[in-house]
Amino acid sequence: MAPLRSLVCFCEGVTTEDVDRALEEGFRDLESLKRRLRVGMGPCQGRYCIPMLISYLSRRLGVPPERLAPPRVRPPLEPVPARLFLGVGDEG
Amino acid sequence: MRAEVVVVGGGITGVAVAYFLAERGFERVVVFERSYLGSGSTFKCAGGIRASFTSREHIVLMKRSIELWGELSRRLGIKYARSGYLWLASREEDLERLKRYSSIHNQFGVSTRFVEPGEVEEMAPALDTSRLVGALYDPLAGKASPFDAVHKLYLASREMGVEYRFEEVGKILVEGGAARGVASSGGITEAESVVVAAGVWSRQLLEPLGVSLPVEPEPHHAALTEEYGRLFDPLIIDLESGAYAVQTFHGHVLMGVEIPEQPSWEPGERLAFLSKVVRVWSKWLPWLPSANILRYWVGHYEVTPDHHPVLGPVGSIENLFVATGFSGHGFMMGPVVGEELASWVASGAPRTEEAAHLTLRRFEEGRLIKELAVIG
């Protein structure tokens, strides 16, 4: 039987063990963890995994969750077909 | 603790300088980063790597950087591929330009060559070649993952004793005409040498010292699709618009194109960019309109008047070095810049003669360098 794994990020298959390893490497802020582990870089754009990661980090680091800044939100908020951008905006 | 070298900035340049200093045996190197590693310009870049430039300085230094990318990738496991650059011409005039570029590349030993549509289709199966008038291929070029490169250089240099402090440097301390350390949010750190590798923000650090860096914060935009299977191996460039697209190691298509912009320290998102980049690339990638855009962001090129970096000693202040002004090529040059700066700090001279042409002095003496092929 495959060992049980605790997933933090479903889109990219990131586990709590992965997070622990990154913490040992010195990556402690969410922007770095996102780029080291790809947490929040899948189609959900962090909607599900970032709150879970904040909750996990808060317990691991003993820091209140409100002190852990979530990664900066990049537009669009959810995947949008590229065709919607054709012919919009003030092209110079 | 008195440091041997303080490096200001934890982007590709800063971590590469730290790595090569540690490799030379420096034991007390401290890197300061005010936000997170790569947070300035490095993590906003596309990760393209090429030596197919049109100035001797860029070509010679980038050929060495490509050697180092190969070595670092083998040694540290950085995601890097020599997957090429493919320049696409859809008009006769663009083909003429490519011929001029190619003859300069070949003259300096960079073997770019024209490829037939059949070969283009093999290396880029998802590309529509019906508009193709000519395509120039650079097999020496490639790509690396900016996240992986910075993180692994950081981990390896930390292993060799480099210390990383996540604090903002507010001031470079100078005494008797020589740098003697930095003042950061955590206090004062004394150092024998200071290397400023803070991207376009280097200008603000050096200004109070009476050193005027000719770098401008030029906004550049990039967007990324969802991930797909293999679409095209080389980074592709549409010569007409200067747009580029690269498929990342994870499968996303990362695209950029220039839009009219003024220098800005805090550039905003622009719908006009998304509109233009989708329009340009839909001509070559006809499936793009139905692909999903996942993310869009803005970063900086730190642009100098001659589109070449400012490297080496500042001149007017002893023991103070700078590495900035890469004008869109800082990531690809990271390894060679790390090696050259480590040499400058250790021995007072660069490793390569061409690096010495790129000091700040060239602007005072009016000896600018000519570069014809700046893209994206």
Side-chain angles (χ1 to χ4, degrees):
Chain A
M1 196 181 90
L4 288 171
R5 301 194 309 154
S6 307
L7 281 175
V8 173
C9 167
F10 304 121
C11 300
E12 302 287 337
V14 181
T15 66
T16 51
E17 289 80 1
D18 297 327
V19 175
D20 290 344
R21 203 174 318 119
L23 290 174
E24 276 164 32
E25 291 174 339
F27 299 103
R28 286 168 171 260
D29 66 289
L30 277 104
E31 294 281 10
S32 295
L33 289 167
K34 165 183 161 181
R35 290 167 176 85
R36 180 72 178 135
L37 301 172
R38 297 192 56 85
V39 181
M41 297 183 101
C44 98
Q45 294 281 59
R47 191 165 298 180
Y48 301 106
C49 49
I50 294 298
M52 259 201 285
L53 180 60
I54 288 179
S55 156
Y56 183 69
L57 284 180
S58 160
R59 279 173 285 148
R60 283 283 276 104
L61 303 175
V63 174
E66 59 273 18
R67 294 262 317 274
L68 294 164
R72 185 180 167 153
V73 175
R74 304 279 190 211
L77 292 178
E78 54 186 62
V80 170
R83 80 163 66 80
L84 294 186
F85 299 110
L86 282 170
V88 296
D90 51 340
E91 272 196 44
Chain B
M1 182 196 84
R2 185 176 157 89
E4 287 166 300
V5 188
V6 156
V7 179
V8 186
I12 187 68
T13 306
V15 296
V17 169
Y19 176 86
F20 283 100
L21 283 168
E23 209 186 35
R24 273 179 174 266
F26 283 82
E27 288 171 352
R28 284 169 293 127
V29 177
V30 183
V31 179
F32 283 88
E33 167 55 54
R34 67 174 170 182
S35 181
Y36 56 94
L37 296 174
S39 58
S41 299
T42 304
F43 282 179
K44 304 196 176 71
C45 85
I49 294 168
R50 64 176 165 127
S52 37
F53 284 91
T54 53
S55 77
R56 182 183 177 83
E57 287 75 12
H58 266 155
I59 291 175
V60 168
L61 291 171
M62 274 310 303
K63 277 170 79 172
R64 176 61 186 156
S65 211
I66 287 171
E67 277 176 26
L68 291 170
W69 274 112
E71 280 175 30
L72 291 171
S73 161
R74 279 190 296 279
R75 209 180 302 157
L76 310 179
I78 292 170
K79 284 181 196 155
Y80 163 70
R82 218 162 270 184
S83 43
Y85 263 47
L86 187 65
W87 311 67
L88 305 167
S90 58
R91 305 178 302 181
E92 283 300 331
E93 65 213 79
D94 297 331
L95 181 59
E96 288 309 310
R97 253 167 79 202
L98 282 182
K99 285 180 181 162
R100 286 202 304 277
Y101 293 167
S102 182
S103 84
I104 299 173
H105 303 153
N106 295 344
Q107 189 186 318
F108 286 104
V110 178
S111 309
T112 54
R113 60 183 168 85
F114 286 90
V115 286
E116 296 297 318
E119 201 176 341
V120 170
E121 281 157 18
E122 268 170 44
M123 59 178 87
L127 187 85
D128 175 11
T129 55
S130 58
R131 295 168 63 244
L132 197 65
V133 173
L136 183 68
Y137 181 57
D138 175 3
L140 183 64
K143 63 188 173 191
S145 157
F147 304 155
D148 207 43
V150 167
H151 287 162
K152 286 186 174 152
L153 283 165
Y154 151 76
L155 289 170
S157 58
R158 211 173 67 139
E159 197 76 13
M160 293 190 283
V162 173
E163 185 189 338
Y164 284 81
R165 287 194 203 156
F166 293 89
E167 296 167 13
E168 177 158 10
V169 169
K171 206 173 161 188
I172 295 161
L173 306 172
V174 175
E175 216 175 73
R180 64 165 193 90
V182 296
S184 70
S185 39
I188 284 176
T189 305
E190 290 192 63
E192 288 156 28
S193 301
V194 175
V195 178
V196 178
V200 72
W201 299 276
S202 305
R203 192 172 117 183
Q204 294 158 332
L205 273 170
L206 293 183
E207 221 154 50
L209 309 179
V211 177
S212 156
L213 276 181
V215 294
E216 289 291 338
E218 201 178 276
H220 280 258
H221 306 252
L224 186 99
T225 70
E226 283 187 309
E227 61 206 65
Y228 295 91
R230 176 177 178 249
L231 300 169
F232 48 90
D233 301 329
L235 184 148
I236 52 180
I237 296 153
D238 169 55
L239 209 63
E240 184 179 352
S241 63
Y244 69 84
V246 60
Q247 190 169 20
T248 67
F249 289 88
H250 212 72
H252 307 276
V253 177
L254 198 169
M255 309 173 286
V257 69
E258 266 189 61
I259 55 171
E261 279 279 17
Q262 294 299 314
S264 165
W265 291 97
E266 286 183 24
E269 282 96 6
R270 300 262 309 271
L271 211 46
F273 162 74
L274 284 167
S275 170
K276 184 173 178 185
V277 83
V278 173
R279 181 171 54 76
V280 168
W281 280 117
S282 295
K283 293 182 195 168
W284 294 105
L285 309 170
W287 43 269
L288 182 63
S290 37
N292 280 330
I293 300 291
L294 189 56
R295 274 190 288 283
Y296 159 45
W297 63 90
V298 197
H300 287 112
Y301 282 14
E302 75 273 14
V303 176
T304 62
D306 62 7
H307 292 93
H308 280 66
V310 184
L311 299 180
V314 162
S316 52
I317 297 164
E318 264 181 76
N319 307 332
L320 180 62
F321 301 83
V322 67
T324 183
F326 296 99
S327 309
H329 309 126
F331 179 67
M332 60 176 85
M333 294 187 86
V336 73
V337 168
E339 189 179 57
E340 292 295 344
L341 264 289
S343 168
W344 243 312
V345 170
S347 69
R351 203 183 147 273
T352 310
E353 190 200 322
E354 281 72 16
H357 301 173
L358 299 178
T359 59
L360 188 55
R361 206 195 306 168
R362 77 178 184 276
F363 298 102
E364 294 150 18
E365 294 174 351
R367 286 185 308 162
L368 302 198
I369 288 152
K370 211 166 175 222
E371 168 68 56
L372 301 172
V374 177
I375 54 157

